[in-house]
Amino acid sequence: MLKYACRDVGVECDFVTTGATVEEVKEKAFAHAAVAHADILKGMTESAMAELTKAVEASIKPV
Ligand SMILES: [Zn+2]
């Protein structure tokens, strides 16, 4: 089982999600971010998004 928490990428948020694969966890994380952190994502350039995606991938840890 893999786990992602918003806090692990420095966001003040209690959201935690789990999944069987990195892709699944990432999908859930970005679905959450699109709703809860729309304000953060809105102002992001494509390269900032790429950086964020990398940070999210790096913070997905086995539990
Ligand atoms: Zn969050």
Side-chain angles (χ1 to χ4, degrees):
M1 186 79 102
L2 298 165
K3 187 189 122 198
Y4 162 82
C6 273
R7 257 177 222 292
D8 294 343
V9 290
V11 181
E12 285 268 333
C13 172
D14 289 326
F15 176 79
V16 176
T17 190
T18 55
T21 64
V22 169
E23 282 305 312
E24 186 188 341
V25 176
K26 220 162 63 172
E27 207 170 286
K28 287 181 185 173
F30 278 93
H32 157 77
V35 177
H37 306 302
D39 51 331
I40 298 175
L41 298 182
K42 198 170 59 185
M44 277 193 165
T45 62
E46 225 168 274
S47 63
M49 268 305 279
E51 285 297 311
L52 178 69
T53 304
K54 260 189 255 171
V56 168
E57 281 169 356
S59 73
I60 295 173
K61 298 271 158 61
V63 283

